[in-house]
Amino acid sequence: MAVLTLLGRRLAAALVLLGVLSALTFGLLAASPGGPEQVLLGSRPSTAETRAAIRAEYHLDDPFPVRYARWLGDAVRGDFGVSIYSREPVADVIADRMPVTASLAGYALLLTIAVGVPLGLVAAMRRGGALDQGITLAALVTLAVPPFALSILLLYGFAVALGWFPVFGAGETPLDRIVHLTLPAVALAAAQTAMVVRQMRAAALDLAGQDFLTFARARGLPRRRIWLGYALRNAALPVLTVGGLLLAANLTGSLFVEQAFGLHGLGALLIGAIGQKDIPVVQALVLLGGAIVVAVNLLIDLAYLAVDPRVRHGAVTS
Amino acid sequence: MTLLDVGGLTVTGRHLIVDGVDLSVSRGETVGLVGESGSGKSLTARAVAGLLPKGLTATGSVALSGRELLGARERVLRSVRGSRVALLMQDPFAMLNPLRTAGAHIAESLPRLPRAARRAEVLRRLAEVGIADPSVATRHPFQLSGGMRQRVALAAALARDPELLIADEPTTALDATTQHEILMLLRGVQRTRGMGVLLITHDLRVAFELCDRVSVMYAGRIVESGPGSGVAGAPAHPYTAGLLAALPSVTATLPRLEAVPGSVPHAEDVTDVCAFAARCGQAEPDCGRARPPLREVSPGRRTACLYDVRPRPRTAPPALAPDAAPAGGTLLRVEELRKEYGGHVALGGVSLDVGAGESVGVVGESGSGKTTLARCVLGLATPDGGRIELAGLDVTPGARAARREGAHRLVQCVFQDPSTSLNPALTVGATLAEAAAQGRAEGRPSVAELLDLVGLPAAYADRRPRALSGGERQRVAIARALAVRPALLICDEPTASLDVSVQAHVLELLRTIRRELGTALLFITHDLAVVRQISDRTVVLFRGAVVESGETSRVLDAPVHDYTRRLLASVPPTP
């Protein structure tokens, strides 16, 4: 029961959030300089007839709420209009770019968790030792290097000088794709790994002083059980939140890295669309980004429900 | 046969903490290790289990049935822990993994068994600790009460049938009645299993009630040991005598509560002298020359004092007639106060009066609503119904007619834990000055006056709470509450987190303040002995309702309600 109430509340909040976001996004077009018809015309010559044609085609003479409702109705059905630049449906353009960004984001998240969680745990275990200080320092340095700078360094080192990885593109076959995406994923994951390391270290340190860990040791439980059943599971809660937020950030914000590695993903699409004042594409991307963040947060809530019985029974709210 | 033999155990971190402790526990025997906070008793227990926190090292010898454990490899220790030595810790709320069920805790500690047999075994183990309801096995710790959690923890600790159980303050975090149940359970389990138990506690009464032998620890060393009854009847060390004298009695109001002056020194600073000499009323020059050895006074009795303890003039204290309540009319009137928290009734129509200058005790266990009552009177919680009147003003929070402004000059509060109720970033002086500035300008007390009021030197104004001991911090908290000269002081368990010797000091201070300033007290506590010492009238709260009230001596000597009787029965006898 508590689970349903919690989910219901979260879903309602997500819908409200998306509603606000969509209104703002739609407002973009209406508020753009030169009026919407100028934007929709792009760089084509504007005559009185073409402008009138566009006003009619896009129902620009209807009141704002009506236009918004129509646009929203189309958007919900996956129709975001037509790209001004390429004249293709916006949904197709995005669907075309999605796989690259999705695999890049997933790959980066995998790297982040696979490297960040163990390093954080080890650092906490060897608190104050050389290893801990090394890991903490490395995390700080990595955090300080911006992704695009790291991208260029990686490109130069591993693709140009050593020639281990391709310089450009996303690859065709699945294996090819992994090879192509390795360097971008590393560039994207580096700073996030550093964040997860610090988060994990703090969570594990917090845990190390807990009585239930000492009590588990006092009962002579095997070390594996203590680490997995006690330390990792309890430390996972805060890391889960960070992991989810990172996934959302990867999906929506990998533009620097995509640009540096010449990947045709959503980031590159966004940069292009803004440059070309391709408002329908920008609208769709903004809305998509918002939807992803909201969806990922819902997923985090679900994960909490699965991991933490206290949330499941409504004793605490996450 | 000796089960555990500890010899010359020394624990060192940045400082010396435990200094040469000798201890032994035989099969079927319960040994108490008694001491106040900072005496090193808990770290002694941890060292025995090989579970010292990081950064601390132990030297000396810890032998279990002749096998040396100190310095043994982690693998050896892991095979000993649980199956031969078990450790039960203080806080049942922190000891269990919040993500696992009660049954899982027990099951994972059991030796390998087939699935069905394991489930039956878990239920059998729960039954052993007095949990007959099998559904408890599937519940998570947060769904269980403190007492239930402690039972589950005990079952988990005993799952591999250890020969020695180390119980580190196993009942300190629990209510009086639950405390008693758990102690009796511990005793029952110990007897049926013939286990050795090392009980660590700060509560002399608990130790004397439960233990065959008792060792008293002070500043990292043992100062006295002997059979429980012997130590209780005729302490052979001035420190033990001082602790006993500081114990409030539940049967009589003592005219004066004797605190041990000063505070516990660091073990490191007193290695070569008697650790207690600086606070001892009968210290001689010899005491500061060399460390007194534990000498045998009679078979089985040892003391680290060079002299015989002078008997204290504490024969049959003339039961003090409670100060006649000054006839000043009613100061606080609470009528039919009701408050619910999401379906849980915290207060179900509570009424009580406090006269001007009167001291009223509110007794009850956690969940009885006593803290909610205090919060409502203070205006920190809004009641769902009822009326609170203070000096003739309606101050009910949330009520339309309420006139809260100025109420803070009428009522102030001293909270339970002075280490969290004082702002760590402010000096004592700044804290007091800030509090005093809330009062009326005329007659505003200075910081020095306030410190003097609670018996602290004026130089303390420059210190921060960190640099004070627990008792000193609580005295600062009292001074802060008195800074606006309130007519009513609410004390919410002000001595619950303090040691016995310090508790006596704080109680005596509150009595003096009441006598000299005429401040009325609303004293909230779960400790009947404390309420006996401090209040004229007592109100017993049970599940948000007043079940009994009247003169303190009447309520405690001739209780009418069942619950009051139960509370009284759970108080260990005062030695």
Side-chain angles (χ1 to χ4, degrees):
Chain A
M1 193 58 225
V3 175
L4 287 182
T5 344
L6 181 76
L7 274 186
R9 255 207 327 262
R10 289 302 151 94
L11 262 175
L15 283 179
V16 169
L17 210 64
L18 277 178
V20 170
L21 190 69
S22 68
L24 288 176
T25 315
F26 184 71
L28 262 183
L29 182 64
S32 46
E37 63 264 49
Q38 188 61 47
V39 169
L40 291 170
L41 263 173
S43 52
R44 281 170 293 163
S46 92
T47 61
E49 296 89 77
T50 48
R51 272 210 296 275
I54 284 202
R55 289 198 81 85
E57 186 189 340
Y58 288 89
H59 306 284
L60 289 181
D61 295 319
D62 290 348
F64 182 83
V66 176
R67 278 186 284 147
Y68 170 66
R70 186 177 294 126
W71 175 79
L72 192 63
D74 288 346
V76 167
R77 271 180 268 121
D79 179 6
F80 288 92
V82 174
S83 161
I84 293 166
Y85 177 72
S86 67
R87 292 276 141 200
E88 288 172 58
V90 173
D92 292 355
V93 176
I94 288 179
D96 190 37
R97 303 294 192 102
M98 193 64 175
V100 174
T101 300
S103 26
L104 178 61
Y107 196 171
L109 185 71
L110 215 66
L111 283 179
T112 305
I113 301 285
V115 178
V117 169
L119 278 187
L121 270 181
V122 166
M125 248 163 42
R126 304 261 182 274
R127 181 189 194 169
L131 196 57
D132 175 27
Q133 284 175 354
I135 290 175
T136 308
L137 187 71
L140 258 175
V141 170
T142 323
L143 210 52
V145 179
F148 62 86
L150 188 63
S151 303
I152 292 165
L153 279 177
L154 287 174
L155 265 179
Y156 182 75
F158 292 98
V160 177
L162 292 170
W164 293 354
F165 293 99
V167 180
F168 188 83
E172 295 306 319
T173 63
L175 186 71
D176 200 24
R177 172 149 291 186
I178 291 178
V179 175
H180 270 87
L181 287 184
T182 300
L183 284 187
V186 168
L188 196 56
Q192 301 178 348
T193 308
M195 269 199 288
V196 168
V197 164
R198 297 185 61 95
Q199 185 84 27
M200 192 68 201
R201 181 178 177 273
L205 276 185
D206 196 32
L207 221 59
Q210 294 282 342
D211 279 356
F212 62 77
L213 262 176
T214 312
F215 187 53
R217 289 179 65 204
R219 283 180 287 148
L221 295 186
R223 203 180 343 200
R224 219 171 64 94
R225 153 135 289 167
I226 294 181
W227 276 108
L228 295 181
Y230 281 72
L232 198 59
R233 208 165 153 207
N234 279 287
L237 295 176
V239 174
L240 213 59
T241 311
V242 173
L245 295 177
L246 289 181
L247 179 66
N250 282 351
L251 281 170
T252 56
S254 55
L255 56 174
F256 287 123
V257 173
E258 283 184 16
Q259 200 73 353
F261 286 92
L263 294 172
H264 293 292
L266 293 180
L269 180 65
L270 182 67
I271 293 179
I274 291 174
Q276 294 146 359
K277 295 214 175 65
D278 196 346
I279 296 287
V281 173
V282 176
Q283 280 178 329
L285 282 175
V286 169
L287 206 55
L288 180 69
I292 286 174
V293 171
V294 168
V296 165
N297 271 308
L298 263 177
L299 282 179
I300 296 174
D301 285 340
L302 282 178
Y304 258 91
L305 281 177
V307 177
D308 194 336
R310 286 165 295 188
V311 181
R312 203 151 58 228
H313 293 274
V316 289
T317 48
S318 62
Chain B
M1 180 192 156
T2 315
L3 182 62
L4 172 74
D5 210 340
V6 177
L9 180 71
T10 299
V11 176
T12 334
R14 220 176 292 164
H15 306 281
L16 182 68
I17 301 165
V18 175
D19 188 6
V21 161
D22 299 316
L23 207 63
S24 72
V25 182
S26 301
R27 274 177 214 289
E29 186 187 34
T30 304
V31 174
L33 190 57
V34 187
E36 297 185 285
S37 48
S39 63
K41 57 187 190 309
S42 284
L43 288 175
T44 305
R46 292 285 197 97
V48 170
L51 289 170
L52 278 178
K54 260 196 178 149
L56 301 184
T57 47
T59 55
S61 151
V62 174
L64 191 72
S65 308
R67 184 178 190 187
E68 181 61 43
L69 292 184
L70 217 58
R73 299 166 66 96
E74 182 66 19
R75 182 179 312 195
V76 176
L77 286 176
R78 212 176 302 137
S79 71
V80 170
R81 285 188 208 127
S83 58
R84 305 200 56 200
V85 181
L87 176 69
L88 190 64
M89 294 159 68
Q90 170 172 352
D91 190 352
F93 298 91
M95 208 188 338
L96 299 175
N97 186 344
L99 305 183
R100 298 183 77 89
T101 61
H105 276 94
I106 300 171
E108 70 183 357
S109 319
L110 285 170
R112 284 195 172 280
L113 284 171
R115 215 189 161 98
R118 194 166 56 203
R119 175 154 167 78
E121 188 63 17
V122 165
L123 295 184
R124 204 177 65 74
R125 300 298 182 133
L126 281 175
E128 187 190 4
V129 294
I131 300 180
D133 179 3
S135 74
V136 170
T138 59
R139 281 193 227 153
H140 285 96
F142 72 94
Q143 295 166 308
L144 300 173
S145 69
M148 287 291 247
R149 290 187 212 196
Q150 196 61 295
R151 283 170 197 267
V152 170
L154 179 63
L158 295 178
R160 288 189 196 176
D161 306 314
E163 302 147 74
L164 175 69
L165 175 70
I166 305 171
D168 185 0
E169 304 261 15
T171 60
T172 305
L174 303 172
D175 279 322
T177 46
T178 323
Q179 208 167 46
H180 189 68
E181 284 166 23
I182 296 285
L183 286 177
M184 291 305 108
L185 171 68
L186 212 55
R187 167 143 70 187
V189 169
Q190 185 264 333
R191 286 194 180 151
T192 25
R193 288 178 169 243
M195 231 177 7
V197 171
L198 178 61
L199 178 73
I200 319 284
T201 179
H202 71 282
D203 193 329
L204 287 164
R205 289 175 295 192
V206 165
F208 292 144
E209 191 184 9
L210 219 66
C211 300
D212 304 309
R213 287 189 299 120
V214 170
S215 292
V216 181
M217 257 187 110
Y218 182 76
R221 66 185 77 172
I222 288 180
V223 293
E224 178 172 3
S225 67
S229 52
V231 175
H237 194 280
Y239 174 62
T240 320
L243 279 185
L244 285 171
L247 268 183
S249 154
V250 74
T251 49
T253 311
L254 304 176
R256 199 181 148 66
L257 295 166
E258 299 279 349
V260 183
S263 57
V264 185
H266 291 293
E268 188 165 64
D269 303 335
V270 289
T271 38
D272 299 325
V273 295
C274 171
F276 190 62
R279 303 169 74 188
C280 184
Q282 55 177 73
E284 301 282 339
D286 310 9
C287 300
R289 273 192 211 120
R291 176 163 165 178
L294 259 181
R295 66 185 175 96
E296 190 153 43
V297 267
S298 60
R301 284 298 302 275
R302 289 162 184 278
T303 175
C305 185
L306 297 171
Y307 303 94
D308 290 335
V309 172
R310 265 187 246 132
R312 288 183 166 245
R314 195 199 159 206
T315 41
L320 198 72
D323 303 344
T330 306
L331 176 65
L332 170 73
R333 168 164 293 159
V334 175
E335 282 170 7
E336 284 298 314
L337 204 61
R338 280 180 289 107
K339 173 82 185 165
E340 280 188 25
Y341 288 109
H344 167 75
V345 179
L347 293 175
V350 167
S351 305
L352 62 86
D353 287 349
V354 179
E358 194 189 20
S359 169
V360 174
V362 177
V363 182
E365 54 192 18
S366 53
S368 63
K370 52 193 199 308
T371 295
T372 308
L373 173 69
R375 292 178 60 84
C376 286
V377 174
L378 285 164
L380 298 174
T382 308
D384 299 332
R387 230 171 101 80
I388 302 170
E389 210 174 85
L390 203 54
L393 290 174
D394 182 0
V395 295
T396 320
R400 191 170 298 167
R403 306 202 351 233
R404 293 271 347 156
E405 68 283 2
H408 66 274
R409 297 199 195 104
L410 286 170
V411 56
Q412 279 292 323
C413 187
V414 178
F415 294 96
Q416 174 172 347
D417 188 353
S419 56
T420 54
S421 71
L422 294 176
N423 185 343
L426 290 184
T427 61
V428 167
T431 296
L432 294 180
E434 183 189 69
Q438 309 302 313
R440 290 200 175 74
E442 70 268 21
R444 184 175 288 170
S446 71
V447 169
E449 280 167 354
L450 283 170
L451 284 171
D452 182 54
L453 191 66
V454 294
L456 290 174
Y460 271 44
D462 298 329
R463 299 207 189 177
R464 279 174 218 282
R466 197 176 49 235
L468 305 181
S469 72
E472 287 168 341
R473 280 184 213 151
Q474 196 59 297
R475 279 193 267 169
V476 172
I478 293 172
R480 179 181 60 180
L482 292 173
V484 295
R485 302 261 183 238
L488 174 67
L489 189 61
I490 296 182
C491 302
D492 189 358
E493 301 266 16
T495 60
S497 63
L498 302 179
D499 283 318
V500 186
S501 64
V502 182
Q503 164 177 295
H505 215 124
V506 170
L507 290 179
E508 194 55 43
L509 172 66
L510 287 169
R511 295 213 294 204
T512 314
I513 282 167
R514 187 187 152 216
R515 206 163 38 234
E516 289 175 2
L517 301 182
T519 313
L521 294 180
L522 186 64
F523 199 96
I524 293 166
T525 181
H526 66 276
D527 190 331
L528 295 177
V530 165
V531 90
R532 179 102 207 190
Q533 306 310 317
I534 199 103
S535 56
D536 312 322
R537 283 194 301 120
T538 296
V539 174
V540 183
L541 274 187
F542 181 56
R543 295 194 184 150
V546 176
V547 294
E548 184 159 2
S549 68
E551 300 277 318
T552 300
S553 51
R554 206 276 300 149
V555 171
L556 296 187
D557 293 340
V560 178
H561 196 271
D562 249 10
Y563 175 67
T564 320
R565 287 206 201 101
R566 210 142 38 92
L567 272 182
L568 272 164
S570 63
V571 178
T574 308

